């Protein structure tokens, strides 16, 4: 069944730009992460198990997905082998959603999410086709209509879960996230559909699997990749800076590497927030090395506060060394305590 998507010339041009860049970046290694789709009722089960309750995040790939979601979907399929339609899925879940999920997965909340998804799909999927075609049409219908892509009816799974659900039924979209938004923004200034729709359509035009492209974008984003002009030299340098800080906090660093960091830090071009985190962390390490425990704790607290501020201002700040910076944030948190935070107000 063909699904025509009406796009403006400007949007088409923007998607072409994205497609060309995706083909150049990921044609050799962006492989599909799911070689074969599940029967479509089980795809709904997959989504219900993959969403992060209360966070909106979706565990849809990687070790967590294969360790937690895949076995649970298989468990459901073995327990209910005759479920072939959404109506049959609702008949299994509706009498006791929490009880079913508690018995099967020891996770009662998943039952409510699953019933929520099934009921909305039964209500919203267009009639007049067989159920599989209706679900595919439902997944495709909002492409080209960014204002209606997510109306909030899927509040239990959030926008990310909603997009993942659409992708399960054939829509060429990716799960939304800052990595997708930044890639689309760096590649073209033209605002097309939603960034996740633009990137998904571009992946399809490039002959790539959208979910594999999304994973590749995330890996590069976490490594600080700048897609527009290639990785800037200071990005590579700041990966080294934050990696050195992590090793120093954990007391596993080479003293020479820390000394070299002190010398190079003033000359590195970077947002003030990153530089502040590094400088305060070095001060804390000095205090700790000199036996000034109270001063060290104070500097660790101030470094942690600076790191939190930088995370909060992340959208406006240069995107440098993301994964390494988050590691520093975590290591700084381990150096603090409730007692330290209680006297945080005394630290200017």
């Amino acid at each position: 069944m063909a699904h025509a998507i009406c796009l403006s010339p400007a949007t088409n041009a923007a998607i072409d730009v994205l497609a060309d860049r995706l083909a150049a970046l990921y044609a050799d290694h962006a492989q599909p992460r799911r070689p074969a789709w599940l029967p479509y009722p089980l795809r709904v089960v997959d989504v219900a198990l993959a969403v992060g309750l209360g966070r909106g995040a979706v565990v849809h790939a990687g070790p967590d997905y294969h360790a937690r979601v895949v076995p649970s979907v298989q468990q459901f399929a073995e327990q209910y082998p005759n479920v072939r339609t959404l109506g049959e899925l609702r008949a299994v879940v509706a009498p006791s959603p929490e009880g079913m999920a508690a018995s099967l997965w020891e996770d009662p909340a998943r039952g409510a999410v699953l019933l929520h998804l099934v009921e909305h799909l039964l209500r919203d999927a267009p009639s007049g086709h067989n159920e599989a075609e209706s679900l595919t049409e439902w997944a495709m219908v909002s492409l080209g209509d960014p204002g209606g892509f997510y109306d909030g009816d899927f509040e239990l799974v959030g926008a990310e879960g909603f997009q993942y659900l659409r992708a399960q039924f054939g829509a060429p979209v990716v799960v939304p996230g800052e990595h997708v938004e930044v890639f689309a923004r760096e590649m073209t200034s033209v605002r097309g559909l939603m960034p996740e729709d633009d990137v998904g359509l571009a992946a399809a035009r490039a002959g790539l699997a959208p979910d594999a492209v999304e994973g590749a974008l995330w890996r590069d984003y976490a490594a600080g990749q700048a897609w527009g002009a290639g990785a800037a030299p200071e990005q590579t340098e700041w990966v080294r800076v934050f990696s050195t800080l992590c090793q120093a906090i954990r007391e596993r660093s080479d003293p020479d590497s820390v000394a070299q960091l002190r010398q190079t830090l003033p000359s590195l071009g970077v947002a003030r927030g990153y530089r502040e985190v590094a400088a305060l962390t070095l001060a804390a390490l000095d205090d700790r090395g000199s036996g000034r425990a109270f001063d060290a704790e104070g500097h660790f607290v101030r470094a942690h506060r600076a790191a939190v501020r930088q995370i909060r201002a992340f959208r406006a700040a240069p995107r440098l060394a993301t994964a390494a910076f988050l590691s520093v944030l975590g290591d700084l948190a381990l150096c603090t305590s409730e007692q330290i935070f209680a006297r945080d107000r005394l630290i200017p």
Side-chain angles (χ1 to χ4, degrees), residues 37 81 105 172 176 309:
W37 268 349
W105 305 311
R309 284 197 302 271

Side-chain angles (χ1 to χ4, degrees), residues 55-254:
R55 300 190 305 276
V58 179
V59 180
H60 61 292
D64 286 343
Y65 175 79
H66 291 285
R68 179 168 69 84
V69 178
V70 171
S72 297
V73 173
Q74 184 62 34
Q75 191 177 8
F76 183 92
E78 293 172 356
Q79 183 72 22
Y80 303 103
N82 297 320
V83 171
R84 296 183 177 86
T85 68
L86 290 184
E88 291 169 350
L89 181 57
R90 180 170 59 181
V92 166
V93 178
S96 178
E98 289 81 4
M100 182 277 297
S103 173
L104 201 58
W105 305 311
E106 298 182 353
D107 190 350
R110 298 291 167 178
V113 175
L114 179 55
L115 183 60
H116 179 78
L117 293 175
V118 172
E119 289 184 336
H120 279 294
L121 288 173
L122 284 171
R123 183 198 68 190
D124 294 342
S127 59
H129 312 292
N130 66 49
E131 199 166 67
E133 290 178 339
S134 294
L135 290 168
T136 301
E137 185 171 337
W138 168 83
M140 297 289 292
V141 71
S142 58
L143 286 171
D145 178 18
F149 96 107
Y150 172 61
D151 61 8
D153 283 345
F154 290 83
E155 66 274 5
L156 285 186
V157 298
E160 292 184 358
F162 177 72
Q163 288 293 84
Y164 181 46
L165 184 64
R166 292 174 66 204
Q168 289 280 35
F169 293 111
V173 298
V174 297
V175 175
E178 189 165 328
H179 55 302
V180 174
E181 296 175 11
V182 170
F183 174 78
R185 187 170 65 242
E186 289 187 2
M187 290 298 97
T188 175
S189 61
V190 176
R191 179 179 175 83
L193 311 177
M194 303 303 291
E196 54 269 24
D197 286 357
D198 290 343
V199 173
L201 286 168
R205 288 189 187 182
L208 303 172
D211 73 324
V213 165
E214 188 268 330
L217 290 175
W218 169 248
R219 288 192 300 272
D220 282 355
Y221 180 76
Q225 175 68 38
W227 292 289
E234 64 268 20
Q235 289 182 304
T236 302
E237 185 69 7
W238 276 86
V239 170
R240 184 190 67 79
V241 168
F242 291 131
S243 297
T244 300
L245 288 178
C246 282
Q247 291 298 312
I249 294 170
R250 298 168 191 171
E251 299 184 337
R252 298 175 183 171
S253 62
D254 175 6

